[in-house]
Amino acid sequence: MICLTTTENTLTKALKQVERNKSYIDMVELRLDLLEEGELASAQIFPRLCALPTIATYRRVCDGGKSQMSDKARMTNLRKIVLQGDFSYVDIEEDVKKSDLKIKGEEDSPKYDFENELKQKGIKIIRSFHDMEKLPANLFSLVTKLAKKGDIPKVAVTPNTIIDVVTLFKMNEELKDIKEKIIIGMGDFGVCTRILYKKVGSMLTFASEDEIAPGQLSAKTLKLLYKADQVNNRTNVYGIIGNPVLHTASPMIHNPGFEAIHYNAIYVPFLVDKVRGFFKLAELIKIHGFSVTVPHKRDVLPYLGKITREVKQIGACNTVTRIQGMWKGTNTDYYGFLAPIEKEINDGKIKSALIVGAGGASRAVVWALRNHHVKVTIANRTLEKAKLLASETMSNYIELEDLSSLSSSVDLVVQTTIVGMTPNEDADILEDFTFENPCIVYDLVYKPRYTKLLKRAKKANCKVINGSDMLISQGKLQFESFSGYHYPHWINLNL
Ligand code: NAP
């Protein structure tokens, strides 16, 4: 189930929020602590009006909410609202004292046992535990303890490493006897657990309307892009590892592709600090293949049983697939870079090239061009790196300050640094290069789609190629490695 957490301060606005998301969600969490005080008197009508199973949650500040009341006062308010309405669930933190749940009624009336009243009304208690900083050491026994009274245990905890993420995924198997449980990994490392909530063993995942905080996913993204609620035992898991990784556009290539060929598979971003930990996760949840981005393209090499000639030459791998119990590494950056200029290369129109940058992407570019007999000159901020790559690939190198000397003599210019990337869109590492002869100008940056360099080159009548073209080409090749099918030609990728 995908559960939308309301973020509005009035019931009317919260209902509108539900209405906007209705086709993506199965249930709603009404956050009472976010509502204006005057709204609470009518909050009981919310479940009937939104017509979806609703959780009533009155979250404290220490658990990431806004309520500053004492637990006693908070539980008294919660009781008034919940018992008058048609809520399906109520969230009560695990450390609320028994005595705070025995609520005194008006004037002379007796003490009420809130938990008993909820049970009699058929409202399920979600017994929740939050840790906004880490994973507690006793996580498994904690969940078992929370489930003991027949309540639904909920743990919302914060993984800080990929090994923490492995612990969360282990809960599915270790605690499989607890059928109804909620497990949430918060923060950036937890994103994969929110998408693959079914593989963690969680009965639901929480979503917001907008992706306002790190680690949050919108209901629309979970439902339409990831189809998170359709994951089952037969779903093959793919993904991308990197650090950072959450900005990646790759899920927008692979997930629609899988859907189009009716392949029961999902492609998920995994924030990874140490590659070794990720390979543990890959074995645990049987990941079938993954893309690799900065800074792990070299780190994965020791784990690969088989590599292609390009991976060996470049010394970096961006695609890993599981083949006959072994991890195989390929480099689709190499072919993805070549795809948009394949015709010009085959027609012999590119004989010389200037490559700016000497990082990981540049290595793939330089090797791809050298293997096609193009004469390459490399420029880089750190000259030593340009020299090193040049000597490895039998190319030339040049100081960045001297780039203009090549203005009229190269057929292709490739920009492989991060200069010009959002938010630094005004930067242009080739600003002294004047395009005296129209040539092909290729910028690997894909955000923005057209960098300052490409706009300038276009004005000078050069043919321009942007990073999206390469991103899509390399992504389609990865898709073939993952699924064994060509990328569906009818999908119009506009990244
Ligand atoms: P990398 O290995 O970290 O290399 C970064 C390169 O940028 C180095 O040459 C570095 O120079 C240079 N650089 C960084 N900051 C600079 C600055 N302020 N001024 C001048 N030079 C600077 O990264 P990478 O993997 O090669 O990726 C580089 C770019 O290519 C990124 O924008 C990435 O998104 C893009 N890329 C795109 C695709 C695609 O499909 N479109 C695929 C791969 C990569 P130093 O050596 O002096 O540090």
Side-chain angles (χ1 to χ4, degrees):
M1 291 185 285
I2 298 176
C3 179
L4 178 79
T5 299
T6 63
T7 50
E8 298 287 9
N9 62 355
T10 69
L11 291 165
T12 311
K13 285 198 256 173
L15 277 169
K16 283 192 180 148
Q17 194 169 48
V18 171
E19 219 36 63
R20 287 193 294 273
N21 287 278
K22 209 146 199 180
S23 50
Y24 318 131
I25 59 175
D26 309 288
M27 58 190 293
V28 179
E29 179 187 44
L30 176 64
R31 282 288 298 273
L32 296 161
D33 55 297
L34 303 182
L35 293 177
E36 286 168 8
E37 218 176 309
E39 295 286 310
L40 293 175
S42 339
Q44 77 278 2
I45 59 170
F46 186 86
R48 207 166 341 115
L49 294 181
C50 83
L52 282 170
T54 305
I55 306 173
T57 298
Y58 211 143
R59 189 69 72 228
R60 305 176 291 204
V61 171
C62 63
D63 295 323
K66 287 241 167 96
S67 173
Q68 292 181 320
M69 283 179 214
S70 68
D71 277 357
K72 187 104 198 162
R74 199 165 53 92
M75 289 301 122
T76 306
N77 270 357
L78 189 59
R79 175 180 176 270
K80 268 192 211 146
I81 296 163
V82 170
L83 294 183
Q84 288 171 32
D86 295 326
F87 289 90
S88 307
Y89 305 89
V90 58
D91 183 307
I92 300 177
E93 296 80 1
E94 51 89 36
D95 60 347
V96 172
K97 288 199 209 84
K98 271 251 161 252
S99 56
D100 289 336
L101 291 164
K102 302 267 191 279
I103 295 162
K104 196 169 175 313
E106 304 292 316
E107 295 172 6
D108 301 334
S109 54
K111 274 190 178 177
Y112 298 104
D113 183 338
F114 185 26
E115 285 171 297
N116 246 341
E117 288 175 311
L118 288 170
K119 279 179 188 154
Q120 273 165 18
K121 227 181 155 229
I123 300 172
K124 290 193 172 176
I125 300 175
I126 295 172
R127 195 69 63 167
S128 64
F129 170 87
H130 298 82
D131 193 327
M132 318 298 286
E133 286 172 5
K134 60 179 190 321
L135 243 57
N138 61 341
L139 196 56
F140 291 12
S141 57
L142 179 73
V143 176
T144 311
K145 192 181 115 202
L146 298 183
K148 266 220 166 103
K149 284 195 290 181
D151 300 338
I152 299 173
K154 171 186 168 187
V155 288
V157 291
T158 310
N160 291 310
T161 62
I162 192 71
I163 285 293
D164 284 349
V165 172
V166 173
T167 305
L168 289 178
F169 275 98
K170 275 186 181 159
M171 294 178 91
N172 187 30
E173 186 55 31
E174 301 278 333
L175 301 172
K176 64 171 180 285
D177 293 341
I178 304 171
K179 296 282 176 257
E180 284 192 312
K181 56 185 176 297
I182 302 173
I183 298 156
I184 309 290
M186 295 188 287
D188 289 353
F189 276 99
V191 167
C192 58
T193 68
R194 289 180 185 260
I195 300 170
L196 293 171
Y197 69 97
K198 289 192 166 184
K199 298 261 175 202
V200 178
S202 183
M203 63 185 263
L204 61 84
T205 188
F206 289 101
S208 57
E209 181 173 39
D210 306 304
E211 286 153 27
I212 36 177
Q216 268 190 0
L217 290 151
S218 73
K220 187 177 178 184
T221 300
L222 281 168
K223 179 82 178 179
L224 299 186
L225 178 62
Y226 292 107
K227 306 210 170 347
D229 56 332
Q230 287 174 35
V231 168
N232 57 31
N233 288 340
R234 292 180 307 282
T235 303
N236 289 340
V237 179
Y238 295 87
I240 175 162
I241 67 166
N243 189 1
V245 75
L246 300 181
H247 64 286
T248 176
S250 297
M252 290 182 256
I253 299 177
H254 295 284
N255 287 310
F258 291 155
E259 189 190 3
I261 61 164
H262 304 291
Y263 179 32
N264 182 358
I266 185 170
Y267 182 95
V268 178
F270 294 94
L271 178 62
V272 170
D273 52 338
K274 298 244 166 60
V275 161
R276 185 181 155 84
F278 177 75
F279 276 95
K280 286 203 162 108
L281 181 65
E283 291 306 330
L284 180 71
I285 63 171
K286 306 207 168 26
I287 289 175
H288 277 61
F290 55 95
S291 317
V292 187
T293 188
V294 179
H296 298 313
K297 287 184 184 180
R298 291 179 87 90
D299 302 345
V300 293
L301 296 179
Y303 298 87
L304 307 178
K306 216 172 168 193
I307 55 170
T308 56
R309 179 186 74 128
E310 297 79 46
V311 172
K312 199 167 180 192
Q313 276 187 330
I314 301 164
C317 160
N318 80 330
T319 311
V320 179
T321 42
R322 191 194 283 273
I323 290 173
Q324 291 162 351
M326 185 192 282
W327 293 109
K328 180 182 174 191
T330 53
N331 195 312
T332 64
D333 280 343
Y334 179 101
Y335 294 103
F337 163 72
L338 284 173
I341 52 170
E342 200 177 352
K343 187 167 179 333
E344 285 84 353
I345 292 229
N346 289 341
D347 292 350
K349 289 193 177 145
I350 301 177
K351 294 199 168 60
S352 61
L354 165 64
I355 314 301
V356 183
S362 169
R363 292 185 65 81
V365 167
V366 172
W367 274 111
L369 292 171
R370 289 300 293 133
N371 287 345
H372 287 82
H373 315 294
V374 176
K375 184 171 165 262
V376 169
T377 304
I378 306 163
N380 190 45
R381 179 178 63 176
T382 311
L383 189 65
E384 275 314 302
K385 277 169 75 180
K387 269 190 196 171
L388 207 66
L389 183 56
S391 80
E392 218 180 291
T393 56
M394 286 178 287
S395 306
N396 302 316
Y397 64 88
I398 188 171
E399 300 255 8
L400 268 183
E401 292 71 34
D402 298 335
L403 286 184
S404 57
S405 65
L406 296 177
S407 284
S408 59
S409 64
V410 287
D411 305 318
L412 170 72
V413 174
V414 190
Q415 198 298 113
T416 75
T417 77
I418 58 167
V419 178
M421 193 160 91
T422 308
N424 301 315
E425 295 178 15
D426 276 341
D428 177 358
I429 197 166
L430 279 130
E431 62 187 356
D432 297 332
F433 194 92
T434 48
F435 308 112
E436 274 151 43
N437 280 342
C439 57
I440 301 173
V441 182
Y442 196 150
D443 197 333
L444 264 52
V445 167
Y446 52 85
K447 253 186 197 161
R449 210 173 156 77
Y450 289 96
T451 55
K452 189 173 176 190
L453 166 69
L454 289 191
K455 285 184 194 154
R456 215 161 48 76
K458 182 114 187 121
K459 266 198 189 151
N461 289 325
C462 296
K463 174 175 174 171
V464 300
I465 301 170
N466 62 37
S468 298
D469 294 339
M470 173 171 166
L471 183 75
I472 291 170
S473 303
Q474 66 81 25
K476 286 181 174 178
L477 291 166
Q478 280 184 337
F479 184 86
E480 284 179 23
S481 301
F482 293 156
S483 69
Y485 284 80
H486 286 305
Y487 196 80
H489 61 84
W490 59 92
I491 295 182
N492 181 18
L493 289 170
N494 191 11
L495 304 177

